[in-house]
Structures are given as structure tokens and as C-alpha cells.
Amino acid sequence: MSEAAQTLEGWYALHDFRTINWTAWKQADVSLRNSALDELHTLFKEWKDVEDAGTGSTAFYSIVGQKADFVFMHLRDTLEELNALEVAFNKTTFAQFTIPAHSYVSVVELSNYMAQPGTDPLQNPEIIARLKPILPKWNHICFYPMNKRREGNDNWYMLSMDERRAMMRSHGMIGRQYAGKVKQIITGSVGFDNWEWGVTLFAEDALQFKKLVYEMRFDEVSARFGDFGEFFVGNLLDGGKFAAMLQ
Ligand code: 76R
């Protein structure tokens, strides 16, 4: 058996994608719509307070295309808290005007391929910050799930630790060229959802997603071993932009 990579886990993640029932929303009277928005703003304020206290983080983006209209990406300490968040949203008046489009459950993950031997990662504040990241409020989000292939000669899980580490080093070197342009959050979802990882990327310039993902396709670990699910791409929202969108 090959040596398994060691992983560190941080906050649990829920990507909650919703579609708006525009017909019902447009038919609702103004007073109901206004109170629905007020209630939503109260919820957003609670999420902001959690983020300010450093006990979780939430990203809120519109989704371009027909896969969904918007996404909440929540990070919290426990699955119970994530569950409570989705239930709280589902109980709002506004949620009655939404239809679940997609969801993804995972946990922020760092693997030890690039770890410094002989050091305790949990004593390193940079590692802690990466395990419990405050999500950036950058213009764009890109989310997709992925697996590492297990087929014939292309079976990631049969490779030695050294072979995998060499490929992950090359992967990391490409990624680092996008430092400051793309922020990546890798969440592990083995045992939680249908794919092995969720990849969430943030950028001010959406073209950087295309450039990074394309460049990685030529790198061995993605070229030989990457299998990908559906891609979601979107634009930053806040309470004000959302209210304008719903006008
Ligand atoms: O520098 C480090 O310490 C981290 C190095 C690193 C690891 C271990 C790293 C860097 N990644 C790692 C792990 Mn990544 N990453 C992806 C995708 O579309 C594709 O082809 C793949 C999707 C992108 C775009 C991306 C970006 N990475 C992983 C893992 C877990 C693998 C495992 O454990 O087997 C996956 C699934 C994955 C996928 N990666 C980076 C990036 C970027 C931008 C970086 C540089 C980050 C930085 O240095 O800040």
C-alpha cells in the first residue's frame, strides 16, 4: 500500500447554490418583498459579526448562467453550525422564493506534500490562517469539484509518496505564479460529497481563472490525474447589490 498523504483540516465548508423563482418574486407585494429583504439583511449582519469575531466566514456571489442565481459559501467550525445556517436561511421569507440548485459539503484541507519536515504545522500562524481563512471579497468566484483519477496506469492512489510529492511540487510552482491574482481554497470532501475535493478560487479579474486552470491542464498532476465536475463562476454580491438585483 502506498503511504497516504497526511492532511490538516480546518473549517467545514458549505457551498449553497440557489435559483430565484422570479415569477413568484415579481408577483409578491412590495411590503412582503421589503420585509423579506429586511430579514435577509439581519441574517447577513449576523454572518458579518461571526466573520468579524473570526469564528467563521461567508462569501456571497451571483452565478452567471443557468446553473444557479447565487451562492453562499459558508465556513464554520462544525457541520452542526453549517446545518443551522442553512436551516436559518430556509426559514426566511426570502427562501420561499428560492429553489435549491446545488450544494457541496467539504472541509478546508492542507496536505503535507510541501510540509517542512521536523516542524509542527499547528504552531505556525500562517498554516492556522489557511485552515480558517476569511474569504476574500474579490470580484469573482469560481467553484468546481474534482477527483484524482484511479484508472489503469493512471492511478494516483497507487503512486509512491515521492512520485506524488514531485508532481504536487510542480503543481504548487504553477499556482504560486498566480499569487495575488488568484486565491485558492482547497476543501476535502472524501466521505462528505460526490467528489474528492472542492476547488474554490477568488480573483479580481475573472480571466485569471481561465489562465490558471488552463495552464494547470498541461501540468502532469492535472493532465494525467485530474477529473473535473461542473464549473460555477460568479460576481461579488453584498446586501446592496442583491437588493438592486431584486428590484
Ligand atoms: O505551497 C503550498 O504549500 C501548497 C502547495 C499546494 C498543494 C499541496 C497547492 C498550491 N495546491 C495543493 C494541493 Mn492546488 N489547486 C488545485 C486546482 O484545475 C486544476 O487543474 C486543479 C484545481 C487549482 C486551480 C489549484 C490552485 N491543489 C491541491 C490539491 C490536493 C491534492 C492532494 O492532496 O492530492 C488539489 C485537489 C488541488 C487542486 N494550488 C496551489 C493552486 C494554487 C493557485 C496554488 C498556489 C497557492 C499559493 O502558493 O498560495
Side-chain angles (χ1 to χ4, degrees), residues 27-113:
Q27 279 167 2
D29 35 273
V30 178
S31 63
L32 181 70
R33 285 165 44 158
N34 285 342
S35 66
L37 285 178
D38 285 348
E39 190 186 19
L40 214 49
H41 284 130
T42 308
L43 203 58
F44 292 167
K45 171 79 172 58
E46 283 170 26
W47 298 349
K48 171 82 169 48
D49 290 345
V50 169
E51 191 163 290
D52 290 345
T55 50
S57 185
T58 294
F60 181 31
Y61 285 82
S62 68
I63 294 295
V64 183
Q66 296 178 355
K67 290 169 191 155
D69 284 321
F70 64 90
V71 60
F72 297 128
M73 175 183 179
H74 296 297
L75 298 179
R76 292 293 187 277
D77 254 322
T78 63
L79 281 177
E80 284 82 357
E81 284 168 85
L82 290 180
N83 217 172
L85 276 172
E86 62 178 333
V87 169
F89 178 74
N90 283 333
K91 285 181 181 165
T92 63
T93 303
F94 181 72
Q96 293 170 28
F97 297 96
T98 70
I99 304 153
H102 188 62
S103 71
Y104 206 79
V105 177
S106 53
V107 63
V108 178
E109 179 190 289
L110 293 179
S111 56
N112 67 337
Y113 290 119

Coordinates of all heavy atoms in Angstrom, one line a residue, residues 27-113:
Q27 N -44.5 38.7 -8.4 CA -45.9 38.7 -8.1 C -46.2 39.1 -6.6 O -47.2 39.5 -6.2 CB -46.6 37.4 -8.3 CG -46.9 37.2 -9.8 CD -47.3 35.7 -10.1 OE1 -47.3 34.9 -9.3 NE2 -47.6 35.5 -11.4
A28 N -45.1 39.0 -5.8 CA -45.3 39.3 -4.3 C -45.5 40.8 -4.1 O -44.9 41.6 -4.9 CB -44.1 38.8 -3.6
D29 N -46.3 41.2 -3.1 CA -46.5 42.6 -2.9 C -45.2 43.3 -2.3 O -44.4 42.6 -1.6 CB -47.8 43.1 -2.3 CG -48.3 42.2 -1.3 OD1 -49.0 41.2 -1.7 OD2 -47.9 42.4 -0.1
V30 N -45.2 44.6 -2.5 CA -44.0 45.3 -2.2 C -43.7 45.2 -0.7 O -42.5 45.0 -0.3 CB -44.2 46.8 -2.6 CG1 -43.0 47.6 -2.1 CG2 -44.3 46.9 -4.1
S31 N -44.7 45.2 0.2 CA -44.5 45.1 1.6 C -43.8 43.8 2.0 O -42.9 43.7 2.8 CB -45.8 45.4 2.4 OG -46.7 44.4 2.1
L32 N -44.3 42.7 1.4 CA -43.7 41.4 1.7 C -42.3 41.3 1.2 O -41.4 40.9 1.9 CB -44.6 40.3 1.0 CG -44.1 38.9 1.2 CD1 -44.3 38.5 2.7 CD2 -44.7 37.9 0.3
R33 N -42.1 41.9 0.0 CA -40.7 41.9 -0.6 C -39.8 42.7 0.3 O -38.6 42.3 0.6 CB -40.7 42.5 -2.0 CG -41.3 41.5 -3.0 CD -41.7 42.0 -4.3 NE -40.7 42.9 -4.9 CZ -40.6 43.2 -6.2 NH1 -41.4 42.6 -7.0 NH2 -39.8 44.1 -6.6
N34 N -40.2 43.9 0.8 CA -39.4 44.7 1.7 C -39.1 44.0 3.0 O -37.9 44.1 3.5 CB -40.1 46.1 1.9 CG -40.0 47.0 0.7 OD1 -39.1 46.7 -0.2 ND2 -40.8 48.0 0.6
S35 N -40.1 43.4 3.6 CA -39.8 42.7 4.9 C -38.9 41.5 4.6 O -38.1 41.2 5.5 CB -41.1 42.4 5.6 OG -41.8 41.4 4.9
A36 N -39.1 40.8 3.5 CA -38.2 39.7 3.2 C -36.7 40.2 3.1 O -35.8 39.6 3.6 CB -38.6 39.1 1.8
L37 N -36.5 41.4 2.4 CA -35.2 41.9 2.3 C -34.6 42.4 3.7 O -33.4 42.1 3.9 CB -35.1 43.1 1.3 CG -35.2 42.7 -0.2 CD1 -35.3 43.9 -1.1 CD2 -34.1 41.8 -0.5
D38 N -35.5 43.0 4.5 CA -35.0 43.4 5.8 C -34.5 42.2 6.6 O -33.5 42.2 7.3 CB -36.2 44.1 6.6 CG -36.4 45.5 6.1 OD1 -35.6 46.0 5.3 OD2 -37.5 46.1 6.4
E39 N -35.3 41.1 6.6 CA -35.0 39.9 7.3 C -33.6 39.3 6.8 O -32.8 38.9 7.6 CB -36.1 38.9 7.1 CG -36.1 37.7 7.9 CD -37.2 36.7 7.5 OE1 -37.7 36.8 6.4 OE2 -37.5 35.8 8.3
L40 N -33.5 39.4 5.5 CA -32.2 38.9 4.9 C -31.0 39.7 5.4 O -30.0 39.2 5.7 CB -32.4 39.0 3.4 CG -31.7 38.0 2.5 CD1 -32.0 36.6 3.0 CD2 -32.2 38.1 1.1
H41 N -31.2 41.1 5.4 CA -30.1 41.9 5.9 C -29.7 41.6 7.3 O -28.6 41.7 7.7 CB -30.5 43.4 5.7 CG -30.4 43.8 4.3 ND1 -31.4 44.5 3.6 CD2 -29.4 43.6 3.4 CE1 -31.0 44.7 2.3 NE2 -29.8 44.2 2.2
T42 N -30.7 41.3 8.2 CA -30.4 40.9 9.6 C -29.6 39.7 9.6 O -28.6 39.6 10.3 CB -31.8 40.6 10.3 OG1 -32.6 41.8 10.1 CG2 -31.5 40.4 11.8
L43 N -29.9 38.7 8.7 CA -29.1 37.5 8.6 C -27.7 37.8 8.2 O -26.7 37.3 8.7 CB -29.8 36.5 7.6 CG -29.5 35.0 7.8 CD1 -29.9 34.5 9.1 CD2 -30.4 34.3 6.7
F44 N -27.6 38.6 7.1 CA -26.2 39.0 6.6 C -25.4 39.6 7.7 O -24.2 39.4 7.8 CB -26.3 39.9 5.4 CG -26.9 39.3 4.2 CD1 -27.3 40.1 3.1 CD2 -27.1 37.9 4.0 CE1 -27.9 39.6 1.9 CE2 -27.6 37.4 2.9 CZ -28.0 38.2 1.8
K45 N -26.1 40.5 8.5 CA -25.4 41.1 9.6 C -24.9 40.1 10.6 O -23.7 40.2 11.1 CB -26.4 42.1 10.3 CG -25.9 42.8 11.6 CD -25.0 43.9 11.3 CE -24.6 44.8 12.5 NZ -24.0 44.0 13.6
E46 N -25.7 39.1 10.9 CA -25.2 38.0 11.9 C -24.0 37.3 11.3 O -23.0 37.0 12.0 CB -26.3 37.0 12.1 CG -27.4 37.4 13.0 CD -28.6 36.5 13.0 OE1 -28.4 35.3 12.7 OE2 -29.7 36.9 13.3
W47 N -24.0 37.1 10.0 CA -22.9 36.4 9.4 C -21.6 37.3 9.4 O -20.5 36.8 9.6 CB -23.2 36.0 7.9 CG -24.3 35.1 7.8 CD1 -25.0 34.4 8.8 CD2 -25.0 34.7 6.6 NE1 -26.0 33.6 8.3 CE2 -26.1 33.8 6.9 CE3 -24.9 35.1 5.2 CZ2 -26.9 33.2 6.0 CZ3 -25.8 34.5 4.3 CH2 -26.8 33.6 4.7
K48 N -21.8 38.6 9.2 CA -20.7 39.5 9.2 C -20.1 39.6 10.7 O -18.9 39.6 10.8 CB -21.2 40.9 8.8 CG -20.3 42.1 9.0 CD -19.3 42.2 7.8 CE -18.5 43.4 7.8 NZ -17.9 43.8 9.0
D49 N -21.0 39.5 11.7 CA -20.5 39.5 13.1 C -19.6 38.3 13.4 O -18.6 38.4 14.0 CB -21.7 39.6 14.1 CG -22.4 41.0 14.0 OD1 -21.8 41.9 13.4 OD2 -23.5 41.1 14.5
V50 N -20.1 37.1 12.8 CA -19.3 35.9 13.0 C -17.9 36.1 12.4 O -16.9 35.7 12.9 CB -20.0 34.7 12.4 CG1 -19.2 33.5 12.3 CG2 -21.3 34.4 13.2
E51 N -17.9 36.7 11.2 CA -16.7 36.9 10.4 C -15.8 37.8 11.2 O -14.6 37.6 11.3 CB -17.0 37.4 9.0 CG -15.8 37.4 8.1 CD -16.1 37.5 6.7 OE1 -16.7 36.5 6.1 OE2 -15.9 38.5 6.1
D52 N -16.3 38.9 11.7 CA -15.5 39.9 12.5 C -15.0 39.3 13.7 O -13.9 39.7 14.2 CB -16.4 41.1 12.8 CG -16.7 42.0 11.6 OD1 -16.1 41.7 10.5 OD2 -17.6 42.8 11.7
A53 N -15.7 38.3 14.3 CA -15.2 37.6 15.5 C -14.2 36.5 15.2 O -13.6 35.9 16.1 CB -16.4 37.1 16.3
G54 N -14.0 36.3 13.9 CA -13.0 35.3 13.5 C -13.5 33.8 13.7 O -12.6 32.9 13.7
T55 N -14.8 33.6 13.9 CA -15.2 32.3 14.1 C -15.9 31.6 12.9 O -16.6 30.6 13.0 CB -16.2 32.2 15.3 OG1 -17.2 33.2 15.1 CG2 -15.5 32.6 16.6
G56 N -15.7 32.2 11.7 CA -16.3 31.7 10.5 C -16.2 32.7 9.4 O -15.7 33.8 9.7
S57 N -16.6 32.4 8.2 CA -16.6 33.3 7.1 C -17.7 32.9 6.1 O -18.0 31.8 6.0 CB -15.2 33.3 6.5 OG -15.1 34.3 5.5
T58 N -18.2 33.9 5.4 CA -19.2 33.7 4.4 C -18.8 34.5 3.1 O -18.4 35.6 3.2 CB -20.6 34.1 4.9 OG1 -20.9 33.2 5.9 CG2 -21.6 34.0 3.8
A59 N -19.0 33.8 2.0 CA -18.9 34.6 0.7 C -20.2 34.5 0.0 O -20.9 33.5 0.1 CB -17.8 33.9 -0.2
F60 N -20.6 35.6 -0.7 CA -21.9 35.7 -1.3 C -21.7 36.2 -2.8 O -21.1 37.3 -2.9 CB -22.7 36.7 -0.5 CG -24.1 36.9 -1.0 CD1 -24.8 36.0 -1.6 CD2 -24.7 38.2 -0.7 CE1 -26.1 36.2 -2.1 CE2 -26.0 38.4 -1.1 CZ -26.7 37.4 -1.8
Y61 N -22.0 35.4 -3.7 CA -21.8 35.7 -5.1 C -23.0 35.4 -6.0 O -23.7 34.4 -5.7 CB -20.6 35.0 -5.7 CG -19.2 35.5 -5.2 CD1 -18.8 35.2 -3.9 CD2 -18.5 36.4 -6.0 CE1 -17.5 35.7 -3.4 CE2 -17.3 36.9 -5.5 CZ -16.8 36.6 -4.2 OH -15.6 37.1 -3.8
S62 N -23.2 36.2 -7.0 CA -24.2 35.8 -8.0 C -23.5 34.7 -8.9 O -22.3 34.7 -8.9 CB -24.6 37.0 -8.9 OG -23.5 37.4 -9.7
I63 N -24.3 33.9 -9.6 CA -23.8 32.9 -10.5 C -24.2 33.3 -11.9 O -25.4 33.6 -12.2 CB -24.3 31.5 -10.1 CG1 -23.7 31.1 -8.8 CG2 -23.9 30.5 -11.2 CD1 -22.2 30.9 -8.7
V64 N -23.3 33.3 -12.8 CA -23.6 33.6 -14.2 C -24.0 32.3 -14.9 O -23.3 31.3 -14.8 CB -22.3 34.3 -14.9 CG1 -22.6 34.7 -16.3 CG2 -21.8 35.5 -14.1
G65 N -25.0 32.4 -15.7 CA -25.5 31.2 -16.4 C -26.7 30.6 -15.7 O -27.1 31.0 -14.6
Q66 N -27.2 29.5 -16.2 CA -28.4 28.9 -15.7 C -28.3 27.9 -14.6 O -29.2 27.3 -14.1 CB -29.2 28.3 -16.9 CG -29.6 29.3 -17.9 CD -30.3 28.7 -19.1 OE1 -30.4 27.5 -19.2 NE2 -30.7 29.6 -20.0
K67 N -27.0 27.6 -14.1 CA -26.9 26.6 -13.1 C -27.4 27.0 -11.7 O -27.8 26.2 -10.9 CB -25.4 26.2 -13.0 CG -24.8 25.5 -14.2 CD -23.3 25.4 -14.1 CE -22.8 24.9 -15.4 NZ -21.4 25.3 -15.6
A68 N -27.4 28.3 -11.5 CA -27.9 28.9 -10.2 C -28.0 30.4 -10.4 O -27.5 30.9 -11.4 CB -27.1 28.5 -9.1
D69 N -28.7 31.1 -9.4 CA -28.6 32.5 -9.5 C -27.7 33.1 -8.5 O -27.1 34.2 -8.7 CB -30.0 33.1 -9.2 CG -30.9 32.9 -10.5 OD1 -30.4 33.1 -11.6 OD2 -32.1 32.6 -10.3
F70 N -27.4 32.4 -7.4 CA -26.5 32.9 -6.4 C -25.9 31.8 -5.5 O -26.5 30.7 -5.5 CB -27.0 34.1 -5.5 CG -28.1 33.7 -4.6 CD1 -27.9 33.2 -3.3 CD2 -29.5 33.8 -5.0 CE1 -29.0 32.9 -2.5 CE2 -30.5 33.4 -4.2 CZ -30.3 33.0 -2.9
V71 N -24.8 32.0 -4.8 CA -24.2 31.0 -3.9 C -23.8 31.7 -2.6 O -23.3 32.8 -2.6 CB -23.0 30.3 -4.6 CG1 -21.9 31.3 -4.9 CG2 -22.5 29.2 -3.7
F72 N -24.1 31.0 -1.5 CA -23.5 31.3 -0.2 C -22.4 30.3 0.0 O -22.7 29.1 -0.1 CB -24.4 31.2 0.9 CG -25.6 32.1 0.9 CD1 -26.9 31.6 1.0 CD2 -25.5 33.5 0.8 CE1 -28.0 32.4 1.0 CE2 -26.6 34.3 0.8 CZ -27.8 33.8 0.9
M73 N -21.2 30.7 0.2 CA -20.1 29.8 0.7 C -19.9 30.1 2.1 O -19.4 31.1 2.5 CB -18.8 29.9 -0.1 CG -17.7 29.0 0.4 SD -16.2 29.3 -0.5 CE -15.1 28.1 0.4
H74 N -20.3 29.1 3.0 CA -20.1 29.3 4.5 C -19.0 28.5 5.0 O -18.9 27.3 4.6 CB -21.3 28.9 5.2 CG -22.6 29.7 4.9 ND1 -22.7 31.0 5.2 CD2 -23.8 29.3 4.4 CE1 -23.9 31.4 4.9 NE2 -24.6 30.4 4.4
L75 N -18.1 29.0 5.9 CA -17.1 28.3 6.6 C -17.4 28.4 8.1 O -17.6 29.5 8.6 CB -15.7 28.9 6.3 CG -15.2 28.8 4.9 CD1 -13.8 29.5 4.8 CD2 -15.2 27.4 4.3
R76 N -17.5 27.3 8.7 CA -17.7 27.2 10.2 C -17.0 26.1 10.8 O -16.6 25.1 10.1 CB -19.2 27.1 10.5 CG -20.1 28.2 10.1 CD -19.9 29.5 11.0 NE -20.8 30.5 10.7 CZ -20.8 31.4 9.7 NH1 -19.8 31.4 8.9 NH2 -21.7 32.4 9.6
D77 N -16.9 26.1 12.2 CA -16.1 25.1 12.9 C -16.7 23.7 12.8 O -16.0 22.7 12.9 CB -16.1 25.5 14.4 CG -14.7 26.0 14.8 OD1 -13.7 25.4 14.3 OD2 -14.7 26.9 15.6
T78 N -18.0 23.6 12.8 CA -18.7 22.3 12.8 C -19.7 22.1 11.7 O -20.3 23.1 11.2 CB -19.4 22.1 14.2 OG1 -20.5 23.1 14.3 CG2 -18.5 22.2 15.3
L79 N -20.1 20.9 11.4 CA -21.2 20.6 10.5 C -22.5 21.0 11.1 O -23.4 21.4 10.4 CB -21.2 19.1 10.2 CG -20.2 18.6 9.1 CD1 -20.4 17.1 9.0 CD2 -20.4 19.2 7.8
E80 N -22.6 21.0 12.4 CA -23.8 21.4 13.1 C -24.1 22.9 12.8 O -25.2 23.3 12.5 CB -23.8 21.2 14.6 CG -24.0 19.8 15.0 CD -22.7 18.9 14.9 OE1 -21.6 19.5 14.5 OE2 -22.7 17.8 15.3
E81 N -23.0 23.7 12.9 CA -23.2 25.2 12.6 C -23.6 25.4 11.1 O -24.5 26.3 10.9 CB -21.9 25.9 12.9 CG -21.7 26.1 14.4 CD -20.3 26.6 14.6 OE1 -20.0 27.9 14.5 OE2 -19.4 25.8 14.9
L82 N -23.0 24.6 10.2 CA -23.4 24.8 8.8 C -24.9 24.4 8.6 O -25.6 25.1 7.9 CB -22.5 23.9 7.9 CG -21.1 24.3 7.8 CD1 -20.3 23.4 6.9 CD2 -21.0 25.7 7.2
N83 N -25.3 23.3 9.3 CA -26.7 22.9 9.2 C -27.6 24.0 9.7 O -28.6 24.3 9.1 CB -26.8 21.6 10.0 CG -27.8 20.6 9.4 OD1 -27.8 19.5 9.9 ND2 -28.5 21.0 8.4
A84 N -27.2 24.6 10.9 CA -28.0 25.6 11.5 C -28.2 26.8 10.5 O -29.2 27.4 10.4 CB -27.4 26.0 12.8
L85 N -27.1 27.1 9.8 CA -27.1 28.2 8.9 C -28.1 28.0 7.7 O -28.8 28.9 7.3 CB -25.7 28.4 8.3 CG -24.7 29.2 9.0 CD1 -23.3 29.1 8.3 CD2 -25.1 30.7 9.0
E86 N -28.0 26.8 7.2 CA -29.0 26.6 6.1 C -30.4 26.5 6.5 O -31.3 27.0 5.8 CB -28.6 25.3 5.2 CG -28.6 24.0 5.9 CD -28.2 22.8 5.0 OE1 -28.4 22.9 3.8 OE2 -27.7 21.8 5.5
V87 N -30.6 26.0 7.7 CA -32.0 25.9 8.3 C -32.5 27.4 8.5 O -33.6 27.7 8.2 CB -32.1 25.1 9.5 CG1 -33.4 25.3 10.2 CG2 -31.8 23.6 9.2
A88 N -31.6 28.2 9.1 CA -32.0 29.6 9.4 C -32.4 30.3 8.1 O -33.4 31.0 8.0 CB -30.9 30.4 10.1
F89 N -31.6 30.1 7.0 CA -31.9 30.7 5.7 C -33.2 30.2 5.2 O -34.1 30.9 4.7 CB -30.8 30.5 4.7 CG -31.1 31.1 3.4 CD1 -31.1 32.5 3.2 CD2 -31.5 30.3 2.3 CE1 -31.5 33.0 1.9 CE2 -31.9 30.8 1.1 CZ -31.9 32.2 0.9
N90 N -33.4 28.8 5.3 CA -34.6 28.2 4.8 C -35.9 28.7 5.4 O -36.9 28.7 4.9 CB -34.5 26.7 4.9 CG -33.6 26.1 3.8 OD1 -33.5 26.7 2.7 ND2 -33.0 24.9 4.1
K91 N -35.7 29.2 6.7 CA -36.9 29.7 7.4 C -37.2 31.1 7.1 O -38.2 31.7 7.5 CB -36.6 29.6 8.9 CG -36.7 28.2 9.5 CD -36.5 28.2 11.0 CE -36.5 26.8 11.6 NZ -35.9 26.8 12.9
T92 N -36.3 31.8 6.3 CA -36.6 33.2 6.0 C -37.7 33.3 4.9 O -37.9 32.3 4.2 CB -35.4 34.0 5.4 OG1 -35.0 33.3 4.2 CG2 -34.2 33.9 6.4
T93 N -38.4 34.4 4.9 CA -39.4 34.6 3.8 C -38.8 34.6 2.5 O -39.3 34.0 1.5 CB -40.1 36.0 4.1 OG1 -40.6 36.1 5.4 CG2 -41.2 36.3 3.1
F94 N -37.6 35.2 2.3 CA -37.0 35.2 1.0 C -36.7 33.8 0.5 O -36.9 33.5 -0.7 CB -35.6 36.0 1.0 CG -35.0 36.1 -0.4 CD1 -35.6 36.8 -1.4 CD2 -33.9 35.3 -0.7 CE1 -35.1 36.8 -2.7 CE2 -33.4 35.3 -2.0 CZ -34.0 36.1 -3.0
A95 N -36.3 32.9 1.4 CA -36.0 31.5 0.9 C -37.2 30.8 0.2 O -37.0 30.0 -0.7 CB -35.5 30.6 2.1
Q96 N -38.4 31.3 0.6 CA -39.6 30.7 -0.1 C -39.6 31.1 -1.6 O -40.3 30.5 -2.4 CB -40.9 31.3 0.5 CG -41.1 30.8 1.9 CD -42.3 31.6 2.6 OE1 -43.2 32.1 1.9 NE2 -42.2 31.8 3.9
F97 N -38.8 32.1 -2.0 CA -38.7 32.5 -3.4 C -37.5 31.9 -4.0 O -37.1 32.3 -5.1 CB -38.7 34.0 -3.5 CG -40.0 34.7 -3.0 CD1 -40.0 35.2 -1.7 CD2 -41.1 34.7 -3.8 CE1 -41.2 35.8 -1.2 CE2 -42.3 35.3 -3.3 CZ -42.3 35.8 -2.0
T98 N -36.8 30.9 -3.4 CA -35.7 30.3 -4.0 C -35.9 28.8 -4.1 O -36.7 28.2 -3.4 CB -34.4 30.6 -3.2 OG1 -34.5 29.8 -1.9 CG2 -34.1 32.0 -2.8
I99 N -35.1 28.3 -5.0 CA -35.2 26.8 -5.3 C -33.7 26.3 -5.2 O -32.8 26.9 -5.8 CB -35.7 26.5 -6.7 CG1 -37.1 27.2 -6.9 CG2 -35.7 25.1 -7.1 CD1 -37.3 27.6 -8.4
P100 N -33.5 25.3 -4.3 CA -32.1 24.7 -4.2 C -31.6 24.3 -5.6 O -32.4 23.7 -6.4 CB -32.3 23.5 -3.3 CG -33.6 23.7 -2.6 CD -34.5 24.5 -3.5
A101 N -30.4 24.7 -6.0 CA -29.9 24.4 -7.3 C -28.8 23.4 -7.2 O -28.7 22.4 -8.0 CB -29.4 25.6 -8.0
H102 N -28.0 23.5 -6.1 CA -26.8 22.6 -5.9 C -26.2 22.9 -4.5 O -26.4 24.0 -4.0 CB -25.8 22.9 -7.0 CG -24.6 21.9 -7.0 ND1 -24.8 20.6 -7.3 CD2 -23.3 22.1 -6.8 CE1 -23.7 20.0 -7.3 NE2 -22.7 20.8 -7.0
S103 N -25.6 21.9 -4.0 CA -24.8 22.1 -2.7 C -23.6 21.3 -2.7 O -23.5 20.3 -3.4 CB -25.7 21.9 -1.5 OG -25.9 20.5 -1.3
Y104 N -22.6 21.7 -1.9 CA -21.4 20.9 -1.7 C -20.9 21.0 -0.3 O -20.8 22.1 0.2 CB -20.3 21.4 -2.7 CG -19.4 20.3 -3.1 CD1 -19.7 19.3 -4.0 CD2 -18.1 20.2 -2.4 CE1 -18.8 18.2 -4.2 CE2 -17.3 19.2 -2.6 CZ -17.6 18.2 -3.6 OH -16.8 17.1 -3.8
V105 N -20.6 19.9 0.3 CA -20.1 19.8 1.7 C -18.7 19.3 1.7 O -18.4 18.3 1.1 CB -21.0 18.9 2.5 CG1 -20.5 18.8 4.0 CG2 -22.5 19.3 2.5
S106 N -17.8 20.1 2.4 CA -16.4 19.7 2.4 C -15.7 20.3 3.6 O -16.4 21.0 4.5 CB -15.7 20.1 1.1 OG -16.0 21.5 0.9
V107 N -14.4 20.2 3.8 CA -13.7 20.8 4.9 C -12.4 21.3 4.4 O -11.7 20.7 3.5 CB -13.5 19.8 6.0 CG1 -12.7 18.6 5.6 CG2 -12.9 20.4 7.3
V108 N -12.0 22.5 4.8 CA -10.8 23.1 4.4 C -9.6 22.2 4.7 O -9.5 21.7 5.8 CB -10.5 24.5 5.0 CG1 -9.2 25.1 4.6 CG2 -11.6 25.5 4.8
E109 N -8.8 21.9 3.7 CA -7.7 20.9 3.8 C -6.4 21.4 3.3 O -6.3 22.0 2.3 CB -8.2 19.7 3.0 CG -7.2 18.5 3.0 CD -7.5 17.4 2.0 OE1 -8.5 16.7 2.2 OE2 -6.8 17.3 1.0
L110 N -5.4 21.0 4.1 CA -4.0 21.2 3.6 C -3.3 19.9 3.7 O -3.5 19.1 4.7 CB -3.2 22.2 4.5 CG -3.7 23.7 4.5 CD1 -2.8 24.4 5.5 CD2 -3.5 24.3 3.1
S111 N -2.6 19.5 2.7 CA -1.9 18.2 2.7 C -0.4 18.4 3.0 O 0.1 19.6 2.9 CB -2.1 17.5 1.4 OG -1.6 18.3 0.3
N112 N 0.3 17.4 3.3 CA 1.7 17.5 3.8 C 2.7 17.4 2.7 O 3.9 17.2 2.9 CB 2.0 16.6 4.9 CG 2.0 15.1 4.5 OD1 1.4 14.8 3.4 ND2 2.7 14.2 5.2
Y113 N 2.3 17.4 1.4 CA 3.3 17.2 0.3 C 4.4 18.3 0.4 O 5.5 18.0 0.0 CB 2.6 17.3 -1.1 CG 1.7 16.1 -1.3 CD1 0.3 16.3 -1.6 CD2 2.2 14.8 -1.4 CE1 -0.5 15.2 -1.8 CE2 1.4 13.7 -1.6 CZ 0.1 13.9 -1.8 OH -0.8 12.8 -2.1

